[in-house]
């Protein structure tokens, strides 16, 4: 099918073979072109023993080679096989489709190309304005491998790109149990310090103007394995990029979906990573659904200027191993690098597990270990979980680096288990911002929780809201720019407060089961209930908790229209209203656990207290040693009242001027 209106049909069956062998020719490419200059060609190879084999100089199969009206198809069915080194499906405005179907059916791309002309074995689906579709189904297999050849002279990785070049659009679907696409590299076994082979690479929506889609469903598998060794001088990453390419280039648009029991994308071997939305302009979406599975060492969502979105719904993501050549271990980075935006959402018992015994690992939400800036969001809902394991140190960080912003939300009995050597760090460094909110029976356990703090050091701007949820850690530390709040949240551990502890959500309560100390602010809200009564914040300490409030600044905050004078008249302006002790299910004023003969005046002094109100000026606040307060407050006129007052003053001034002129 070599020109417009031409049509060719080739059928290879019953053990028949089509062989193209350019060995000994001058090349540079030996191969088969289907659908050229607008023509049409359809090739089917079917049955055990039937094959299409291309060899010689950079052997290539091109399905839909060129021309806006060109169409081509290539099918490997019922145990047949095909082989080459390079593949293009849908190139230069042409349309192409490829089908590998049935147990034993296999397409193999193998070897390394001629230096300066071609790299390692590689396949493109949808290239340079072309549209390509590739399907591997019902136990079929597509293998891309260097086959032990030296890929260094050609400077290329074995791999696949779905959607390449301006206007290139591609779709790769892997479906059905036993259906596999595998990309694998080998090591040359060289001495330490000598550059090894290049490891596999795959991209979905590679560069500017391209778009690609990957579907793995119904038990299909995508396996990418890098066996070559890496070093700082000769890095050899094993990568899958969805929407984009390298950090310094403009990326394309990519989408990937892994869905169904047994469906899996697995990256293994040397420095394996998945990147969703990579590089300026890169836009990526990754959905792992309905018992699908993703396995890698690293995962980036929104990286170096890209935008990435990932959904994990009733599915599993597992990250393990490391270290990477640059020192990091298994982990996830969400929104890292200036202009980057990343979002991961977990729902319906979705699970993420991370483990390493060899390198520090964890999750960074907003900013990266080596990248400043970026905006990251991590949402967990409906029983989703994150589980850390392994002996290496690890952390969950919300707001990782300078100029970064991280936001994390947990709802619906979601859980995070960081283990005995894991830390939660919110606003990890100076200049970072992090906010974490926990609601509806969510839980988090760690060895340390820093809210705008690392041990003993103030860091970024941070907030942790714990509402109807529980945080468990030996130490929960609030830095000067940190805030701990929430309603009916429980903190199991010692709270060190150098920032702001604000029980409730205007108002409400926080339960501390462990202890509290520090020199930060304790903000206690008072609100009118609208029926003549009052609602107040409460800090509740379990009976076993220790406390030292002697250096803390206690601020009473009267919200909305709440009148401090009326609150004083209610008889509730007493520290035992705000500070409570819990014994089992019974709460009582904290003074009930004082050593006999001790009163509030022995623990606190009047200089620690202040008060503010939204609509009142508080002119006097007095503290009695029995814990009661006195207050005098004057209402602040409403803006309309001020306007009327100023108008009245203007009339008086005008009249005064008129009288003066009449004299």
């Amino acid at each position: 099918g070599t020109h417009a209106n031409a049509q060719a049909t080739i059928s290879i069956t019953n053990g028949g073979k089509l062989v193209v062998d350019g060995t000994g020719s001058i090349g540079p490419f030996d191969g088969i072109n289907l659908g050229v200059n607008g023509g049409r060609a359809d090739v089917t190879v079917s049955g055990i023993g039937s094959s299409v084999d291309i060899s010689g100089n950079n052997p290539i199969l091109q399905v839909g080679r060129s021309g806006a009206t060109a169409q081509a198809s290539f099918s490997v069915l019922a145990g047949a096989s095909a082989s080459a080194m390079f593949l293009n499906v849908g190139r230069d405005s042409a349309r192409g489709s490829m089908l590998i179907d049935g147990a034993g059916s296999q397409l193999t791309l193998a070897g390394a190309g001629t230096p300066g002309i071609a790299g390692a074995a590689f396949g493109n689906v949808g290239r340079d304005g072309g549209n390509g579709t590739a399907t591997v189904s019902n136990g079929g297999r597509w293998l891309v491998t260097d086959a032990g050849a030296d890929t260094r002279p050609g400077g290329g990785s074995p791999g696949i790109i779905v959607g390449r070049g301006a206007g290139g659009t591609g779709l790769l679907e892997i479906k059905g149990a036993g259906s596999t696409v595998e990309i694998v590299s080998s090591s040359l076994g060289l001495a330490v310090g000598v550059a090894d082979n290049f490891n596999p690479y795959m991209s979905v929506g590679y560069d500017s103007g391209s778009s690609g889609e990957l579907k793995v469903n119904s038990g299909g598998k995508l396996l990418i394995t890098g066996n070559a060794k890496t070093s700082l001088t000769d890095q050899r990453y094993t990568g899958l990029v969805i929407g984009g390419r390298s950090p310094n280039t403009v990326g394309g648009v990519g989408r990937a979906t892994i869905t169904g029991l047994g469906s899996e994308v697995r990256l293994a071997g040397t420095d394996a990573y998945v990147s969703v939305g990579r590089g300026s302009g890169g836009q990526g979406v990754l959905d792992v659904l309905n018992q699908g599975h993703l396995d890698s060492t690293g995962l980036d969502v929104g990286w170096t200027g890209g935008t990435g979105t990932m959904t994990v719904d009733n599915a599993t993501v597992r990250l393990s191993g490391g270290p990477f050549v640059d020192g990091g271990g298994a982990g996830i980075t969400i929104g890292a690098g200036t202009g980057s935006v990343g979002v991961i959402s977990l729902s319906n018992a979705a699970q993420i597990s991370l483990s390493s015994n060899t390198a520090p690992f964890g999750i960074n939400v907003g900013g990266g270990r080596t990248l400043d800036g970026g905006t990251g969001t991590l949402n967990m809902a409906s029983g989703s979980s994150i589980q850390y394991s392994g002996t290496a140190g690890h952390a969950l960080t919300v707001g990782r680096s300078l100029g970064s912003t991280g936001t994390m939300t947990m709802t619906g009995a979601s859980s995070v288990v960081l283990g005995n050597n894991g830390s939660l760090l919110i606003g990890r460094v100076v200049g970072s911002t992090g906010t974490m909110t926990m609601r509806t029976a969510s839980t988090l356990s760690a060895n340390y929780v820093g809210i705008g703090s690392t041990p003993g050091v103030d860091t970024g701007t941070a907030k942790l809201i714990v509402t109807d949820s529980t945080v468990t850690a030996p130490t929960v530390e609030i830095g000067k720019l940190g805030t701990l709040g929430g309603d009916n949240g429980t903190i199991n551990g010692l709270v060190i407060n150098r920032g702001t502890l604000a029980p409730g959500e205007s108002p409400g309560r926080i339960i501390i089961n462990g202890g509290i100390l520090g020199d930060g602010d304790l903000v206690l809200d008072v609100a009118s209930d609208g029926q003549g009564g009052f609602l107040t914040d409460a800090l509740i300490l379990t009976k076993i908790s220790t406390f030292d409030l002697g250096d803390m600044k206690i601020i009473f905050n009267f919200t909305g229209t709440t009148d401090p004078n009326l609150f004083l008249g209610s008889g509730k302006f007493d520290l035992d209203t705000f500070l409570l002790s819990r014994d089992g299910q019974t709460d009582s004023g904290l003074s009930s656990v004082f050593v006999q003969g001790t009163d509030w005046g022995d623990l606190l002094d009047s200089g620690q207290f202040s008060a503010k109100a939204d609509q009142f000026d508080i002119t006097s606040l007095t503290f009695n040693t029995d814990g009661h307060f006195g207050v005098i407050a004057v209402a602040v006129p409403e803006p309309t009242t001020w306007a009327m007052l100023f108008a009245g003053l203007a009339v008086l001034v005008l009249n005064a001027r008129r009288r003066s002129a009449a004299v």
Side-chain angles (χ1 to χ4, degrees), residues 496-508:
I496 301 173
N497 178 27
R498 297 191 304 276
T500 301
L501 176 59
E505 290 189 285
S506 296

Side-chain angles (χ1 to χ4, degrees), residues 303-388:
W303 181 261
T304 58
T307 299
T309 302
M310 180 176 179
T311 299
V312 187
D313 188 331
N314 187 29
T316 302
V317 175
R318 183 175 65 185
L319 303 165
S320 60
F324 281 85
V325 67
D326 61 359
I332 302 174
T333 299
I334 309 171
T338 301
S340 301
V341 177
V343 179
I344 294 182
S345 298
L346 281 64
S347 59
N348 295 318
Q351 299 177 24
I352 292 180
S353 67
L354 302 97
S355 64
S356 178
N357 294 325
T358 56
F361 65 99
I363 299 176
N364 294 317
V365 185
R369 183 171 57 88
T370 60
L371 286 172
D372 290 338
T375 301
T377 302
L378 174 57
N379 299 316
M380 301 177 64
S382 52
S384 298
S385 64
I386 296 175
Q387 177 85 40
Y388 285 51

Side-chain angles (χ1 to χ4, degrees), residues 347-596:
S347 59
N348 295 318
Q351 299 177 24
I352 292 180
S353 67
L354 302 97
S355 64
S356 178
N357 294 325
T358 56
F361 65 99
I363 299 176
N364 294 317
V365 185
R369 183 171 57 88
T370 60
L371 286 172
D372 290 338
T375 301
T377 302
L378 174 57
N379 299 316
M380 301 177 64
S382 52
S384 298
S385 64
I386 296 175
Q387 177 85 40
Y388 285 51
S389 63
T391 57
H394 46 266
L396 166 59
T397 301
V398 184
R400 175 63 177 88
S401 57
L402 178 67
S404 68
T405 300
T407 304
M408 180 172 175
T409 302
M410 299 174 64
T411 61
S414 294
S415 65
V416 174
V417 179
L418 299 180
N420 293 330
N421 55 345
S423 300
L424 168 65
L425 302 171
I426 307 173
R428 183 167 179 168
V429 301
V430 174
S432 64
T433 301
T435 301
M436 181 171 177
T437 303
M438 302 173 61
R439 300 188 188 279
T440 55
S442 295
T443 60
L444 180 140
S445 62
N447 184 57
Y448 172 84
V449 173
I451 309 166
S453 175
T454 55
V457 178
D458 296 319
T459 56
T461 302
K463 180 181 289 187
L464 173 60
I465 303 298
V466 186
T467 295
D468 297 318
S469 297
T470 302
V471 172
T472 300
T475 303
V476 176
E477 192 168 11
I478 310 169
K480 287 190 178 300
L481 298 179
T483 299
L484 172 61
D487 184 20
N488 203 36
T490 299
I491 310 298
N492 294 315
L494 173 65
V495 176
I496 301 173
N497 178 27
R498 297 191 304 276
T500 301
L501 176 59
E505 290 189 285
S506 296
R509 54 185 53 200
I510 282 181
I511 301 100
I512 294 179
N513 180 35
I516 181 170
L517 57 87
D519 60 359
D521 294 342
L522 173 59
V523 180
L524 301 169
D525 288 346
V526 181
S528 170
D529 66 2
Q531 300 177 356
F534 297 91
L535 303 172
T536 62
D537 280 347
L539 176 63
I540 303 174
L541 305 176
T542 61
K543 194 170 183 179
I544 64 170
S545 298
T546 60
F547 56 91
D548 182 354
L549 306 175
D551 294 321
M552 209 163 293
K553 294 171 282 295
I554 301 175
I555 303 166
F556 297 103
N557 179 39
F558 295 88
T559 65
T561 61
T562 307
D563 186 341
N565 302 299
L566 294 179
F567 181 64
L568 178 65
S570 73
K572 292 185 176 181
F573 205 168
D574 182 342
L575 282 174
D576 277 332
T577 297
F578 299 91
L579 304 176
L580 305 175
S581 175
R582 174 167 291 182
D583 187 359
Q585 298 299 314
T586 303
D587 295 339
S588 55
L590 188 60
S591 65
S592 65
V593 299
F594 289 177
V595 174
Q596 187 173 3

